[in-house]
Amino acid sequence: MRAVEIRTFGGPDGLAVIDLPSPVPAAGEVLISVEAIGVGGVDTVIRSGALAGFGFREGHIPGNEVAGTVTAVGDGVDPAWIGRRVWAFTGEGGGYVERTAVPVEKLLSLPENLSATDAVALGTSGMVAHFGLAHAPFEAGESVLVRGAAGSIGIMTVQLAARGGASAVAVTTSSSERGDRLRELGATHVLDRSGAGDGPAGYDVIVDIVSGVDMPSFFDRLNPNGRMVVVGVVAGMPPADFGAKLMATFRKSLSFAAFSADSIPEPDRRKASAEQFAAATRGELRSVVHELLPLEKAVLAHRKMDDGEVFGRIVLTP
Ligand SMILES: NC(=O)c1ccc[n+]([C@@H]2O[C@H](COP(=O)([O-])OP(=O)(O)OC[C@H]3O[C@@H](n4cnc5c(N)ncnc54)[C@H](OP(=O)(O)O)[C@@H]3O)[C@@H](O)[C@H]2O)c1
């Protein structure tokens, strides 16, 4: 079967299409014939080599979510799974493939009227957005700023904050056209990447998907008792001395937190995703798919991600 691996760390051209034996589901696993693969921002970060310190090596197959149909089951798995349409979290990688064997506890059955494409656009990003907001914690009536809102996690955070009763949902983005699209999804104020623009004077919660050198400048935008949650590092790690900047705001009693979905137990993640899939079928959440591309075009997908032209999710189809 076809798969895509990171042959060499660096630019998108380091991705290569390879041929692998079709996996056989082990005990407790199902085999999924993949129809849609979500391309996440984290895939490009891993491909760049920036996460080598976290154990990612050349030869890694990126992709942490797929959707498709179960075609076989391993020992101990109910054969009733065969033929079911499912979404699956594949872990730290392994998703850029035609078929994959996944432990049955990582599956979610798809509602009848949710496509595989919609499922991978909503799945991991919606789950990260949900628990990122909860980590703040965000409560109805509070104001929220989503930094880096045009990516798949940001788009879901905007929708969930609006749906959760935020008094204001401001976003940072690089163009007014993106700002208009974010307004359609629930944003009330559109700022530029530096945070300049017509927004509230301060925010109760900032969800930061960007981080990087500019992150500490956003502490000044938090209200007293405000909370910043960093869920992504699209612009790299913050400066090493960001804690000094936070301490300079001591009298505002601000909180800073990093959030990784790795800290959320698997059943809780699946429950959140199942609720979001159901909400999407009722029209309460929207999946935003930038483009569908064949698996062989993974290099192009990553180039588009690196060039910053993606609004929402690119989805690969085997
Ligand atoms: N916490 C978790 O559990 C978890 C799980 C999965 C992934 N992640 C992390 O989430 C991140 C990817 O999220 P994503 O796919 O939603 O993001 P993304 O699409 O890669 O980027 C989000 C947006 O950030 C803006 N941006 C890019 N570079 C910027 C810069 N230098 N300064 C300011 N804004 C910039 C861009 O929008 P504009 O051009 O409109 O400004 C972009 O659309 C990765 O860091 C990944 O590691 C975290």
Side-chain angles (χ1 to χ4, degrees):
M1 67 167 187
R2 286 163 306 134
V4 170
E5 69 168 8
I6 301 171
R7 182 157 296 163
T8 48
F9 283 147
D13 290 330
L15 294 174
V17 179
I18 56 171
D19 198 33
L20 287 179
S22 191
V24 176
E29 291 184 340
V30 305
L31 184 67
I32 301 173
S33 174
V34 175
E35 289 157 31
I37 303 158
V39 177
V42 70
D43 303 350
T44 62
V45 180
I46 294 170
R47 187 216 68 225
S48 74
L51 299 184
F54 290 86
F56 291 97
R57 297 280 171 265
E58 290 175 342
H60 176 80
I61 294 177
N64 63 20
E65 64 186 309
V66 300
T69 302
V70 175
T71 55
V73 298
D75 285 349
V77 178
D78 185 349
W81 277 103
I82 294 173
R84 278 194 204 160
R85 297 171 59 249
V86 295
W87 170 89
F89 177 67
T90 57
E92 291 187 335
Y96 288 18
V97 291
E98 279 184 278
R99 289 179 287 282
T100 183
V102 176
V104 69
E105 64 269 12
K106 298 207 178 224
L107 299 186
L108 259 184
S109 285
L110 289 186
E112 212 169 279
N113 48 351
L114 191 77
S115 71
T117 303
D118 288 337
V120 298
L122 293 163
T124 305
S125 51
M127 181 273 295
V128 171
H130 170 84
F131 289 109
L133 280 166
H135 199 68
F138 157 72
E139 288 179 13
E142 293 189 312
S143 54
V144 179
L145 169 63
V146 184
R147 186 165 174 245
S152 52
I153 294 175
I155 283 171
M156 293 306 294
T157 306
V158 167
Q159 293 190 74
L160 293 177
R163 193 168 164 241
S167 59
V169 183
V171 294
T172 71
T173 187
S174 56
S175 76
S176 57
E177 185 260 336
R178 286 183 168 196
D180 290 343
R181 296 184 69 184
L182 288 162
R183 280 185 200 277
E184 285 168 19
L185 294 163
T188 55
H189 300 81
V190 176
L191 314 177
D192 70 14
R193 282 185 172 188
S194 75
D198 182 22
Y203 301 94
D204 301 311
V205 171
I206 297 178
V207 176
D208 188 347
I209 298 145
V210 178
S211 203
V213 291
D214 295 333
M215 185 204 80
S217 70
F218 283 82
F219 291 147
D220 295 334
R221 294 169 182 277
L222 283 166
N223 290 332
N225 302 304
R227 289 89 67 199
M228 180 186 286
V229 181
V230 171
V231 304
V233 288
V234 171
M237 289 292 177
D241 64 351
F242 78 86
K245 175 84 175 152
L246 183 66
M247 290 305 283
T249 66
F250 191 81
R251 297 179 69 195
K252 284 169 73 180
S253 307
L254 304 183
S255 299
F256 173 86
F259 170 73
S260 167
D262 290 349
S263 61
I264 304 296
E266 192 81 41
D268 295 353
R269 297 193 208 191
R270 279 211 318 278
K271 182 166 177 283
S273 293
E275 285 170 6
Q276 292 182 358
F277 288 171
T281 64
R282 295 191 299 269
E284 294 166 15
L285 284 175
R286 278 163 57 189
S287 67
V288 178
V289 176
H290 181 78
E291 191 173 359
L292 282 170
L293 287 171
L295 178 60
E296 289 79 3
K297 300 265 186 189
V299 169
L300 178 61
H302 276 227
R303 198 168 288 136
K304 286 171 183 261
M305 293 284 288
D306 283 7
D307 289 348
E309 71 171 76
V310 179
F311 184 86
R313 265 262 194 270
I314 289 188
V315 175
L316 297 173
T317 53

